[in-house]
Amino acid sequence: MVYLLDLSGVFCEPVEPRLLRLLSEAGGEPPFYLSEAFYRLLPRLKAEGPGVLEALFPGARRLYPLAFRPRAHPFPEPFHLVSDLPPPEGYRAFFHPEKLEAVALALRSLGLSPEEALYLDDNPLLVARARALGFQAEVFRP
């Protein structure tokens, strides 16, 4: 059995809220004011990477890697990471802006069938969607 771990929320603490906090602290703005602009940019961030944040949040490129703080959990071996956000330097993940495409990409690249892998995500909706597509999937509860 190979385990596919969601990079943000399973392997690392949830990245988007942490990144918003870092941007808020760096810019001195309340997270409430930043969140609307951030979530409007999220589709482009997923597709293009952290450079798109620089226009609205100077210094975001420097802060982006700091948002990925690993959890202190021991994970089963072997495991691979999947992500809908571009992983920062130092992390290797199967990346696609659509998380379930990243899971499918990982399975193809590893030469595995859905029965040979288990996908773990902290988002129950993504787990349900993955199951509907034939993947083995479970909700990760820290």
Side-chain angles (χ1 to χ4, degrees):
M1 177 70 67
V2 168
Y3 300 87
L4 303 176
L5 308 181
D6 176 23
L7 176 60
S8 172
V10 174
F11 186 74
C12 291
E13 293 177 6
V15 170
E16 293 92 339
R18 181 160 169 74
L19 181 55
L20 265 174
R21 281 196 307 276
L22 291 169
L23 292 170
S24 173
E25 291 165 7
E29 293 286 341
F32 173 80
Y33 294 113
L34 295 179
S35 60
E36 186 178 346
F38 177 82
Y39 283 104
R40 274 200 320 264
L41 275 179
L42 193 54
R44 285 186 58 199
L45 171 63
K46 288 181 174 187
E48 299 173 35
V52 301
L53 293 172
E54 282 291 323
L56 286 179
F57 310 111
R61 186 185 298 270
R62 173 182 54 80
L63 296 172
Y64 181 79
L66 302 177
F68 292 81
R69 189 158 74 183
R71 291 186 183 275
H73 289 286
F75 291 108
E77 294 283 348
F79 71 81
H80 298 274
L81 303 177
V82 295
S83 182
D84 60 348
L85 287 173
E89 192 174 330
Y91 289 97
R92 302 189 78 188
F94 291 97
F95 162 69
H96 192 282
E98 294 293 327
K99 182 80 60 63
L100 297 180
E101 288 295 325
V103 174
L105 174 66
L107 290 176
R108 281 194 304 273
S109 298
L110 297 169
L112 299 174
S113 69
E115 297 80 29
E116 297 173 286
L118 177 64
Y119 168 56
L120 301 175
D121 199 308
D122 62 322
N123 184 333
L125 295 174
L126 281 173
V127 168
R129 284 182 52 211
R131 287 178 181 159
L133 293 173
F135 301 123
Q136 288 191 83
E138 294 294 334
V139 176
F140 172 82
R141 300 194 195 286

